[in-house]
Amino acid sequence: MNKFQYTHLAQIYEHLMRKIDYRGWAEYLLDIIDYYELEVSTALELAAGNCKLTNYLLPQIPTIVASDLSYQMLQRDKNANLPKVACDMTRLPFKPGFDFILCSFDSVNYLPDKEAIRQFLIEAGKLLTPSGLLTFDVSLERNSIKNVKHLNRKGNYRGISYRQESKYLQQEAMHLNRFEIRLPDGTACEEVHEQKIYEFADYFEVIDGTNLYVSNCFDFFTFANANPKCERVQFILGKIE
């Protein structure tokens, strides 16, 4: 996929995500910080994408580094004062010293196996200050089953026709989203997103093999205890010294 095609595909992603309440999401993360009475001077966001969430956090956190696997997605943000680094969350090129590390939008579900999750946790754990926190949200099976049909959609945006096909392969525990766009000149391209839907207990199992511990696990967007029947959950991890 060339840069021209990728730019248009990114526009469609943003169009499809236009109803996401980035401000509310940022407020929830800031509420987590307040809940722990955590002093945050430096934060790291993993899988930051186009940095919309990052920019809502910036007024309350003095320094945030935004990172994502895709350099092109990071470049869609025009905030020249926001440090941006393209990198793999399982191989983080930073020095220790972050008080708060976050990973949102069920990005951890894109990690293909438990070993990749373990490596992500180990890398993030190395970067945390002794009292720092790592938080990330994940999508569970109930979310895929409930919402898969709503993700099959098509339309037209700024002259670009698009189609999203979504399916949940329950036996393989894989959620697939195929995006296809067609430009006004007839050029077409597609991209397939694969997310692994792990069991609730899998995360605790992997975390136990790292230098992190589960401080809390909340039903998403709340401070109620999570359980396997939740659609999404928010993990908050501390560092074992």
Side-chain angles (χ1 to χ4, degrees):
M1 187 183 302
N2 61 40
K3 183 178 180 180
F4 179 73
Q5 292 171 329
Y6 187 92
T7 297
H8 285 87
L9 187 58
Q11 289 177 342
I12 295 302
Y13 291 156
E14 291 171 356
H15 173 67
L16 293 174
M17 296 178 71
R18 67 192 183 280
K19 294 184 179 179
I20 289 179
D21 183 5
Y22 291 99
R23 184 188 300 276
W25 205 312
E27 288 175 353
Y28 178 57
L29 293 170
L30 292 170
D31 284 345
I32 289 174
I33 291 173
D34 290 342
Y35 179 89
Y36 281 91
E37 299 181 346
L38 183 66
E39 294 291 331
V40 178
S41 59
T42 305
L44 170 64
E45 182 175 4
L46 307 175
N50 59 13
C51 305
K52 286 192 175 183
L53 176 63
T54 327
N55 281 287
Y56 277 111
L57 292 169
L58 269 174
Q60 301 300 322
I61 300 176
T63 302
I64 304 179
V65 178
S67 69
D68 195 272
L69 187 61
S70 170
Y71 172 80
Q72 291 91 340
M73 283 300 294
L74 290 172
Q75 289 304 299
R76 294 191 63 76
D77 174 66
K78 304 307 179 185
N79 184 349
N81 296 318
L82 175 63
K84 306 178 188 78
V85 179
C87 62
D88 185 332
M89 71 168 70
T90 66
R91 299 174 64 188
L92 295 172
F94 305 103
K95 293 181 179 179
F98 293 99
D99 305 306
F100 192 62
I101 300 177
L102 62 141
C103 183
S104 301
F105 310 114
D106 54 39
S107 297
V108 171
N109 289 102
Y110 283 93
L111 297 175
D113 51 45
K114 293 180 185 179
E115 177 56 29
I117 297 176
R118 187 183 74 86
Q119 194 59 40
F120 146 64
L121 295 172
I122 289 173
E123 289 288 290
K126 291 177 182 177
L127 304 181
L128 282 176
T129 56
S131 60
L133 295 175
L134 164 65
T135 187
F136 60 92
D137 62 87
V138 297
S139 178
L140 301 181
E141 183 175 66
R142 178 165 288 195
N143 188 49
S144 288
I145 293 172
K146 178 180 177 180
N147 295 305
V148 64
K149 64 180 180 180
H150 304 301
L151 297 174
N152 285 279
R153 48 192 169 174
K154 60 182 179 179
N156 192 285
Y157 179 66
R158 295 185 177 179
I160 306 168
S161 62
Y162 64 86
R163 178 189 298 271
Q164 179 183 356
E165 295 180 355
S166 183
K167 63 176 68 174
Y168 177 53
L169 308 178
Q170 192 164 16
Q171 186 171 354
E172 295 88 348
M174 292 291 296
H175 197 129
L176 307 180
N177 281 287
R178 185 173 74 88
F179 299 89
E180 179 184 306
I181 67 169
R182 188 171 297 276
L183 305 181
D185 65 1
T187 304
C189 63
E190 70 173 47
E191 186 170 84
V192 178
H193 293 190
E194 299 182 356
Q195 288 182 287
K196 181 69 174 176
I197 307 302
Y198 299 94
E199 293 185 11
F200 183 62
D202 289 340
Y203 293 100
F204 293 89
E205 175 189 330
V206 176
I207 292 165
D208 280 346
T210 70
N211 69 332
L212 300 170
Y213 67 93
V214 179
S215 177
N216 270 301
C217 183
F218 297 129
D219 189 5
F220 187 60
F221 265 10
T222 77
F223 287 86
N225 289 333
N227 62 68
K229 294 182 179 181
C230 293
E231 295 177 25
R232 290 172 176 267
V233 300
Q234 185 82 33
F235 279 92
I236 298 95
L237 310 185
K239 188 172 183 177
I240 299 172
E241 289 298 317

